[in-house]
Amino acid sequence: MTAYEELKRRGLIAQVTDEELVSRLINEGKATFYIGFDPTADSLHVGHFMALCLMKRLQMAGNRPIALIGGGTAMIGDPSGRTDMRQMMTPETIQHNCDCFKKQMSRFIEFGEGKAMMVNNADWLLNLNYIDFIRDIGACFSVNNMLRAKCYEQRMEKGLSFLEFNYMIMQSYDFLCLFEKYGCNLQFGGDDQWSNMLGGTELIRKKLGKDASAMTITLLLNSEGKKMGKTQSGAVWLDPEKTSPYDFFQYWRNVDDADVIKCMKLLTFIPIEEIEEMERTLEGAQLNTAKERLAFELTKLVHGEEEAQKCLDAARSIFSAAGGDTANMPSTAIPAEELTDGAIGLLTLLVKCGLASSNREARQLVQQGGILLNGEKAADPAMQVRLDGGVVIKKGKKIFHRATIA
């Protein structure tokens, strides 16, 4: 089985402009490809997982990844999939986020001479002369065609700023620069980026001629990656300071039954033949075993095998006996000065422990009977919870958390 065939078999490919050429590039290890990342936070989240795993797969097949950090375009904001304008960031914040990204990406791909590289489009976008750029690059784009692009649909309803309208041209220019500077001949992205990516391919064709554009292939990732990474309480981050390894493990342990095999195919490096065999026989109690395997493999990829084993042991011990083993249970220590006579409001406690994103959400959880304290249902949102000796909070059927006094 070739590398490209495996990508298809795992469900990673949605569209490709020239399948014969792109498959040959990948299978022969001749693809220098890029995937873009917006540095809008100081951590990647699980919504980036598909892209990171794809980069790792292709590097293992001999191809060269370029992680393109949108330090320049972040100062404009991508309108794709948005109904409002992104908040613009300072150069210092963007650089800090880029540094954090590279550290996390290093768990997936190997950087170095002749290997993966990280490039920031601020290097060429921030020094552009506006008049020269518009005369040289802007003349290659039709406004009529741009307005028909899917990425502008939502923003057109509420008002699209001229600043955001430039985003397609900027992203297309990225591909031209990467092609000229690094021989980048392949680009990957989600379905909301399709128009932008086609713009880059067309720009190279117009600027460098037909022969050059024959090597600029646009391949579209399955859009499932865009659906990952969000819970009711917010994003699931790769940074352990933002999402603990145990909470990260539990996120994958609790995926819907219908998504287990899909996530294994898209995100793990379990052999595809093994996953397909599971798919044929998976039912009943085997689902829990498969979910454990999924959670363990992905936690190992992000946080290391030792941490993954701790999470697995903690999850098993918690569910195996009444009361459970709290040694490896995720916990939050509440400063004594935030307590009144050793107690704290239940809603405040749930928010501080990361079990709810707001008092409103916490109140709903309590009113719906979704919170247990030391095995007893918490029925009163206004109750005060004493933390002497610690308290084990159970949210729903599978989420456990221990609160103590710092």
Side-chain angles (χ1 to χ4, degrees):
M1 178 174 58
T2 65
Y4 184 77
E5 287 172 344
E6 181 171 4
L7 296 183
K8 292 190 69 175
R9 204 159 152 183
R10 287 180 176 272
L12 281 160
I13 308 301
Q15 289 187 59
V16 57
T17 53
D18 188 330
E19 188 165 49
E20 181 181 353
L21 182 51
V22 76
S23 62
R24 188 169 73 246
L25 281 172
I26 289 174
N27 293 337
E28 294 177 359
K30 295 180 178 178
T32 297
F33 66 95
Y34 94 88
I35 298 179
F37 297 84
D38 285 331
T40 51
D42 59 1
S43 173
L44 298 166
H45 56 71
V46 300
H48 295 111
F49 235 136
M50 185 182 294
L52 296 170
C53 291
L54 176 68
M55 295 171 83
K56 182 178 178 71
R57 288 184 208 284
L58 293 181
Q59 187 175 48
M60 289 168 63
N63 300 285
R64 188 182 190 192
I66 298 177
L68 178 65
I69 304 299
T73 40
M75 294 190 174
I76 294 178
D78 180 3
S80 303
R82 295 185 62 86
T83 57
D84 57 352
M85 187 171 171
R86 289 186 189 272
Q87 183 177 355
M88 287 180 278
M89 300 178 294
T90 66
E92 292 77 18
T93 299
I94 291 171
Q95 183 58 53
H96 171 72
N97 293 349
C98 291
D99 294 339
C100 294
F101 279 17
K102 187 169 185 178
K103 182 179 179 181
Q104 292 176 348
M105 287 179 183
S106 296
R107 279 202 171 270
F108 293 82
I109 55 178
E110 187 177 357
F111 290 94
E113 187 68 29
K115 299 174 183 176
M117 60 190 303
M118 177 176 280
V119 177
N120 189 335
N121 66 11
D123 293 344
W124 54 82
L125 291 180
L126 297 189
N127 295 321
L128 287 174
N129 178 288
Y130 181 74
I131 297 298
D132 290 343
F133 180 75
I134 290 298
R135 284 174 59 89
D136 185 33
I137 304 300
C140 298
F141 289 83
S142 161
V143 171
N144 289 7
N145 290 339
M146 292 174 70
L147 289 175
R148 286 193 288 267
K150 182 180 178 180
C151 61
Y152 292 133
E153 284 180 2
Q154 284 184 301
R155 295 292 290 117
M156 286 292 289
E157 295 175 5
K158 290 196 172 183
L160 177 71
S161 73
F162 183 72
L163 183 67
E164 294 169 290
F165 187 61
N166 277 269
Y167 194 89
M168 181 186 291
I169 300 177
M170 294 297 186
Q171 183 169 329
S172 299
Y173 186 64
D174 283 345
F175 195 21
L176 175 63
C177 290
L178 292 171
F179 180 83
E180 292 182 314
K181 292 174 180 288
Y182 309 109
C184 181
N185 52 26
L186 186 63
Q187 54 181 336
F188 291 77
D191 56 358
D192 61 343
Q193 297 295 318
W194 185 241
S195 299
N196 293 340
M197 292 191 296
L198 289 179
T201 301
E202 182 65 9
L203 176 61
I204 292 177
R205 185 190 67 79
K206 289 181 177 179
K207 295 298 296 179
L208 303 179
K210 185 176 180 180
D211 291 342
S213 66
M215 292 295 287
T216 60
I217 312 303
T218 303
L219 184 147
L220 182 66
L221 285 176
N222 185 304
S223 60
E224 291 297 325
K226 295 289 182 180
K227 301 174 184 177
M228 299 175 185
K230 296 289 184 180
T231 68
Q232 288 184 340
S233 299
V236 178
W237 304 98
L238 304 194
D239 184 345
E241 296 298 320
K242 291 178 175 289
T243 299
S244 73
Y246 182 83
D247 288 337
F248 184 87
F249 179 95
Q250 285 300 112
Y251 171 79
W252 297 108
R253 174 63 181 78
N254 295 329
V255 297
D256 291 340
D257 293 354
D259 293 333
V260 179
I261 293 296
K262 183 192 302 179
C263 289
M264 280 188 168
K265 288 180 177 179
L266 295 174
L267 305 176
T268 77
F269 290 83
I270 300 170
I272 186 62
E273 295 82 5
E274 184 179 343
I275 298 173
E276 289 172 343
E277 179 60 29
M278 276 192 268
E279 187 174 19
R280 285 189 286 269
T281 61
L282 198 61
E283 61 180 21
Q286 294 174 325
L287 267 170
N288 286 329
T289 302
K291 288 182 179 183
E292 269 192 356
R293 178 80 182 278
L294 172 68
F296 179 84
E297 293 292 335
L298 297 183
T299 305
K300 180 174 71 172
L301 190 59
V302 174
H303 299 295
E305 186 166 5
E306 181 179 352
E307 202 64 51
Q309 189 62 51
K310 286 182 183 178
C311 294
L312 178 60
D313 293 343
R316 286 178 173 174
S317 66
I318 288 170
F319 299 133
S320 65
D325 176 9
T326 63
N328 292 311
M329 186 181 294
S331 63
T332 299
I334 307 297
E337 58 268 24
E338 295 182 15
L339 306 178
T340 302
D341 296 328
I344 188 171
L346 174 58
L347 303 186
T348 301
L349 178 63
L350 294 176
V351 172
K352 286 186 176 293
C353 290
L355 298 174
S357 60
S358 64
N359 281 357
R360 180 180 179 182
E361 183 184 336
R363 183 181 300 277
Q364 289 177 337
L365 285 170
V366 174
Q367 291 173 338
Q368 293 166 3
I371 298 296
L372 274 68
L373 301 176
N374 289 336
E376 299 291 330
K377 183 172 289 188
D380 181 7
M383 74 178 292
Q384 295 290 307
V385 182
R386 295 196 64 81
L387 299 185
D388 312 67
V391 61
V392 173
I393 307 167
K394 182 180 180 184
K395 173 185 172 183
K397 294 181 179 180
K398 300 178 180 178
I399 298 176
F400 292 80
H401 199 97
R402 185 166 183 259
T404 62
I405 300 176

